[in-house]
Amino acid sequence: MRTLILIVAGLLIALGIVLRMPARLRRQGAIGFTVLWLLAVLWNLRTGLAHGYTLEEEAPIQALIFLVPVALAWVLALKLPRRGVSP
C-alpha cells in the first residue's frame, strides 16, 4: 500500500509541477522534479533498509516508485503542445 501511495503522490506532484510551468520552462521543471524525486526515493530506500529489508528486496520497488512519476513528468514536458507557438 505504501508503494502505491508513493507512486500516486509522485504522479500528482509531477502533474502539478509540469502543468503549472510555462511551456518554455517545462523541461527545467521536469529536471527539477527528477532530482527532487530521486532524493525522496533514496530517502525511502534508506528507510526500508533501516527497517531490515535488503537492497535486493528494495531496489525493484524503489525503481518503480522512481520511474513511473519521472516518466510521466518527461512525457508531459516533451509532448504537451506549446501554446502560442507554431510548429
Side-chain angles (χ1 to χ4, degrees):
M1 187 65 165
R2 179 182 168 103
T3 300
L4 181 61
I5 291 170
L6 287 170
I7 291 172
V8 170
L11 291 171
L12 292 174
I13 294 167
L15 279 170
I17 289 175
V18 175
L19 293 179
R20 293 183 187 273
M21 299 294 285
R24 62 185 174 81
L25 296 176
R26 284 189 185 131
R27 286 185 183 179
Q28 287 85 349
I31 291 169
F33 171 75
T34 300
V35 171
L36 292 175
W37 195 243
L38 176 62
L39 293 174
V41 170
L42 289 173
W43 173 80
N44 191 51
L45 172 64
R46 183 198 59 82
T47 302
L49 294 175
H51 284 97
Y53 293 100
T54 65
L55 184 59
E56 186 177 74
E57 293 170 319
E58 283 287 316
I61 296 166
Q62 300 306 320
L64 186 66
I65 292 170
F66 177 74
L67 291 173
V68 172
V70 167
L72 176 68
W74 280 100
V75 166
L76 290 175
L78 298 175
K79 298 295 183 182
L80 278 178
R82 293 184 175 194
R83 290 178 233 134
V85 177
S86 59

